[in-house]
Amino acid sequence: MPDAASSAQPVTGLILSGGGARAAYQVGVLAAIAELLPDAGHNPFPVIVGTSAGAVNAVGLACGALHFCESVQRLTAVWRAFHTEQIYRSDWAGVLRQASRFVTQHVLGFAGHAPVSLLDSSPLGELLARELDFSGIAAAVRQRRLRAVAVTAFGYESGQAVTFYQGRATIDPWLRHRRVGVPTRLRLEHLLASASIPLIFPPVKVNREYFGDGAMRQAAPISPALHLGANRVLVIGVSGNPLEGDANARVVRPRSGKPPSLAQIGGHLLNSSFIDSLESDIEMVKRLNLMSHLLPVDAPNGLGLKPVEVLVIAPSQPLDQIAARHRAELPRPLRLFLAGPGATQASGAGVLSYLLFEPGYCNELIELGYRDAQTKRAELQRFLGLDA
C-alpha cells in the first residue's frame, strides 16, 4: 500500500482497462490530456496500470514517460495505422490453419500441445518488439518521472490475477485473495500474456506458468494502482455504459425474440470480463469514499479508510454499434470465419468491437475518446492540478 511519503501529496494513477480494439478509445483521451499540459515532457501519471490491450497502451506510455506528449503521439500514430494482420493472422492460410488446428485438437480430441486459440496472435508480438523500448521504463523510474507501471495477467494454474510491476524499490509486493503483486522487469511476454483474450488468442508462458488476459477474475482493477502508491486515479474505460445513473443516456435495444447467436453470447462474456469488474470496483470505491467522510474525526487512524478520488472517462456511444458500421473493413477470410457464429451481424457486433483492428473503426474510436475528454476538460484540469 502507499507509503508515508507517497500519501503526503497527490499521486495520480492512470488505469487503462482491457478491450482489444476498443482500447483505441484510450488513445484519443490521452491525446486530449496531452494538449492540456503546459510542459510537453511532463508525465502527469506517476503510476500507470493497464490490463489486456490497456496494458499495451500503459507500457507504451511508460516507455516514453520522459517525453509524455511524444509518447502519446507515437501511440496515436500506431493505432491510427492499425490493420488486423498486424495483430493476428487474417489471411486465408493463417485463418484456415488455426481453425483446423482448433477443431482437430480441441473438438475432435486428437493429441497436440499447441496452446488453445481460435486466432494466431504472433504478429502482435512482432509489432510490440518493433515499437517498444522497455529500457525507457527504467530510465523514467531512475529520473523519478515514473513511480511504477504495472500490467495484470491471469494464471491458468494458480487461478490468480498477477500484477507484474516495475518501479521504485520502496514499493512492497502484495498478496490478497486471488490477486498478487510481483516486482519484475517488464518484458514482451508480460504484455502478450495480459492481452491474450481467452480462447481467441493463445496463452503465454511467463516463467513456469501459462497466463491469459488479465481481465479474467480481476475482482479489483483499481487496487494495483493503490498498492503502487496512487491516492487518486483516472480511469479510462471502454464500456460505453453510463456510470452516473443517467437513464436517458442508456441505449434501448429492440427485442427481436430470436435466440442469441454464438457471437452475441460471446460478446456478453467478453463484456463481463473486461467491463463489469471495473464498473463494480468504481462503485465500491465511491461507497468507501462516502463511508470515510461519515466517520467521526476522532476515529482511530480513519479505521484504515482513506478517500481515493476517482475520475472516469468512458465512451459516450455504444462501441458495438460503431463496430457494426465498420464490419466491412474486416479482411474477407475473417468475415467468412466469423459469419457463422454471427459476429458480422448487428446483434453479434460486441465480439467484433474487440477484434476490429482496422483504421476506420480505430480512428472513429480515437476521435470519440478525444471528444469525450474535451467535454470533461474542466474536470481534467482540476483533477490534474492544471487549473491553478
Side-chain angles (χ1 to χ4, degrees), residues 283-303:
E283 289 183 1
M284 177 63 72
V285 170
K286 290 181 177 179
R287 289 173 183 169
L288 291 175
N289 285 344
L290 178 61
M291 186 180 300
S292 69
H293 291 305
L294 295 176
L295 289 174
V297 293
D298 57 350
N301 198 28
L303 296 179

Side-chain angles (χ1 to χ4, degrees), residues 1-9 11 144 147 168-172 225-231 306:
M1 297 298 289
D3 54 32
S6 68
S7 60
Q9 59 184 357
V11 177
R144 306 187 73 81
R147 179 178 173 83
R168 298 182 189 175
T170 55
I171 301 173
D172 294 327
L226 306 183
H227 281 289
L228 295 172
N231 47 33
K306 295 183 179 180

Side-chain angles (χ1 to χ4, degrees), residues 68-223:
F68 181 81
C69 289
E70 289 183 14
S71 181
V72 172
Q73 290 172 358
R74 285 196 299 271
L75 268 178
T76 304
V78 170
W79 276 96
R80 286 195 180 279
F82 258 153
H83 287 280
T84 302
E85 65 263 18
Q86 295 175 283
I87 308 300
Y88 53 88
R89 291 284 300 272
S90 58
D91 57 300
W92 282 109
V95 170
L96 292 176
R97 176 174 175 271
Q98 198 69 15
S100 61
R101 173 184 289 178
F102 185 90
V103 172
T104 300
Q105 290 187 208
H106 308 295
V107 177
L108 300 180
F110 288 94
H113 299 288
V116 55
S117 69
L118 287 170
L119 298 173
D120 177 1
S121 60
S122 57
L124 175 60
E126 299 168 4
L127 172 70
L128 295 180
R130 281 196 312 271
E131 296 291 339
L132 296 177
D133 179 8
F134 287 86
S135 65
I137 298 176
V141 172
R142 189 166 54 249
Q143 297 187 36
R144 306 187 73 81
R145 303 285 286 276
L146 180 70
R147 179 178 173 83
V149 57
V151 302
T152 299
F154 175 76
Y156 280 108
E157 290 189 59
S158 65
Q160 292 181 321
V162 180
T163 298
F164 299 100
Y165 68 90
Q166 182 174 346
R168 298 182 189 175
T170 55
I171 301 173
D172 294 327
W174 61 89
L175 174 61
R176 299 293 185 270
H177 178 64
R178 292 198 177 278
R179 50 190 175 95
V180 297
V182 178
T184 188
R185 182 174 288 270
L186 291 177
R187 305 185 302 273
L188 180 60
E189 54 263 40
H190 296 111
L191 289 190
L192 294 176
S194 182
S196 179
I197 301 175
L199 296 181
I200 297 177
F201 295 155
V204 177
K205 193 173 186 180
V206 179
N207 300 325
R208 293 176 295 177
E209 185 175 7
Y210 277 95
F211 286 85
D213 199 294
M216 290 190 292
R217 302 185 72 177
Q218 189 181 26
I222 296 176
S223 175

